[in-house]
Amino acid sequence: MNIRLISLAGVLLLINGGLCWSSTDNSSADSVSQPRLKIYLPRDVAVESDNLTLGKIAVITGEEALVSKAGDLELGMFSNAGQIITVDRSLILSRLACGGMPACNPVLSGAEKVSVRRTATVIKASRIVESASSFLSNTIKEQSIARWELVKMPADVIFPANAQDIELVPRLVSRGTNGLAVTEVSIVADGKQIETCQVSFRPKYNIRRAVTLLEVKEGTALTADNTKIEIVFSDVPEPANWSTPYGLVVTRDLPAGNVVSSKMVKSPQPPVIIERNQSVVIRIERGGLVVTAMGKAVQQGKLGECIKVKNIDSQRVILAKVNEDGTVEPVL
């Protein structure tokens, strides 16, 4: 009987001891697995300083002392205003370990990577170009210039400041012989010059040109019926002596829609007024006195040309200019 009681007590003791050890082990395991830091990572963050710490990019919860220490861990530094720094989970865990916090058992949630940018003021390139273009239009007054064409788009200007009063101040740097205008736009923030940008423009001119409306055969005169005048943009200004080519004749066949250049036309030939061996009147008018004589044309003559004429009375051959009325006037 006593033996049985002792045996039963021993079994109960072993069972109770086992249960106690099991409870102690579980409690210890729970204590180890219980996280003391929770770190939430957003996808995008904007910070106001160049120095980057974990506390500026993440939401950290847990024991106050650990949160403070983890928040001060440095993750990098911005080298320029427009830079974007990417921070991933492995970098954070590495910094925690290097900072003497390997046993804080952190739990990371949220994004796998955080894109961090510096809070900055951005002056768009389009605003810079608009300022320079408006300045040129108001400064260079040339009626032949239709507009200014941008040569190359500048980059956006980014500076690490939340400026309240921003002003763009353009000025003309140079004007080339080809018309190219170079401007410089100064960006002034709160009364202080931050940046300058050079912006170049080439002028576009309004010019007139003649275009055939239909096929024009060689030797045909240009008229309003077969040719139109249109206004187009050009890189060079219109020649000062440009005039409507109506009345000029083309030197070769021109298809419809062809732009007529000065090399494609010539002045019409004057009509033949006098034929060879034709009898003509030699006429001299001086101070109200008119003297005439009969002559014979030695050669054919067009209006305004000088031809040889034989005086019938004296048989002398003289040089005379052909007039529109068919008479000739001696060239003295």
Side-chain angles (χ1 to χ4, degrees):
M1 181 66 178
N2 291 333
I3 295 173
R4 289 180 178 181
L5 289 173
I6 293 171
S7 298
L8 181 59
V11 171
L12 290 173
L13 181 62
L14 288 172
I15 292 174
N16 287 335
L19 288 173
C20 181
W21 281 108
S22 176
S23 176
T24 302
D25 292 342
N26 288 339
S27 176
S28 176
D30 289 342
S31 176
V32 173
S33 62
Q34 182 65 34
R36 289 182 289 177
L37 271 184
K38 291 184 179 180
I39 303 173
Y40 174 78
L41 303 175
R43 290 186 180 276
D44 300 285
V45 176
V47 298
E48 294 184 356
S49 62
D50 292 334
N51 188 35
L52 192 59
T53 62
L54 182 58
K56 293 178 181 177
I57 71 165
V59 179
I60 308 173
T61 57
E63 295 181 7
E64 184 176 349
L66 290 175
V67 170
S68 177
K69 187 174 181 180
D72 292 336
L73 290 176
E74 295 188 357
L75 301 177
M77 182 173 290
F78 289 98
S79 58
N80 57 70
Q83 182 182 2
I84 296 179
I85 297 177
T86 301
V87 178
D88 58 21
R89 295 189 177 192
S90 61
L91 175 62
I92 294 173
L93 292 174
S94 174
R95 288 289 190 272
L96 288 170
C98 293
M101 306 178 64
C104 65
N105 199 17
V107 172
L108 274 65
S109 61
E112 293 293 328
K113 297 179 179 180
V114 184
S115 294
V116 189
R117 57 184 174 83
R118 174 74 163 82
T119 302
T121 298
V122 180
I123 307 298
K124 289 292 188 181
S126 57
R127 182 180 174 186
I128 298 171
V129 171
E130 182 182 357
S131 174
S133 177
S134 177
F135 167 78
L136 282 180
S137 298
N138 293 326
T139 303
I140 300 178
K141 301 292 187 180
E142 295 180 15
Q143 293 184 352
S144 59
I145 297 179
R147 61 184 175 87
W148 291 97
E149 182 180 76
L150 180 66
V151 174
K152 182 180 179 181
M153 177 67 77
D156 294 344
V157 174
I158 306 172
F159 52 95
N162 293 319
Q164 299 299 317
D165 184 16
I166 299 175
E167 184 182 6
L168 272 59
V169 182
R171 72 180 184 91
L172 182 64
V173 176
S174 64
R175 181 81 190 278
T177 54
N178 58 353
L180 188 72
V182 180
T183 64
E184 183 178 82
V185 179
S186 297
I187 299 171
V188 180
D190 297 329
K192 183 179 180 181
Q193 182 171 307
I194 301 297
E195 187 70 74
T196 59
C197 301
Q198 279 202 351
V199 190
S200 299
F201 297 86
R202 65 171 62 91
K204 285 291 185 178
Y205 300 92
N206 276 331
I207 66 166
R208 294 169 293 173
R209 68 179 186 182
V211 181
T212 54
L213 292 171
L214 44 84
E215 184 180 10
V216 181
K217 293 293 187 179
E218 179 181 353
T220 303
L222 296 178
T223 67
D225 295 328
N226 58 25
T227 308
K228 67 176 180 178
I229 306 300
E230 61 182 21
I231 298 177
V232 296
F233 288 133
S234 173
D235 291 332
V236 295
E238 181 179 283
N241 61 349
W242 191 93
S243 61
T244 303
Y246 294 156
L248 300 179
V249 297
V250 298
T251 57
R252 60 177 186 239
D253 293 347
L254 299 180
N258 194 91
V259 177
V260 181
S261 70
S262 59
K263 296 179 179 180
M264 301 176 184
V265 293
K266 65 179 181 178
S267 298
Q269 292 294 323
V272 174
I273 303 295
I274 298 173
E275 296 291 344
R276 186 171 179 272
N277 293 325
Q278 177 182 330
S279 295
V280 295
V281 175
I282 303 172
R283 187 171 184 271
I284 301 175
E285 184 176 354
R286 294 287 186 277
L289 178 65
V290 178
V291 178
T292 61
M294 294 301 299
K296 179 181 288 188
V298 177
Q299 56 189 155
Q300 186 185 72
K302 297 178 181 179
L303 178 62
E305 284 187 333
C306 292
I307 62 174
K308 292 179 179 180
V309 177
K310 179 185 289 187
N311 188 311
I312 294 178
D313 293 333
S314 66
Q315 297 296 305
R316 290 180 58 191
V317 176
I318 62 174
L319 192 63
K321 180 181 178 182
V322 178
N323 297 321
E324 188 175 3
D325 60 1
T327 63
V328 296
E329 180 181 352
V331 178
L332 303 177

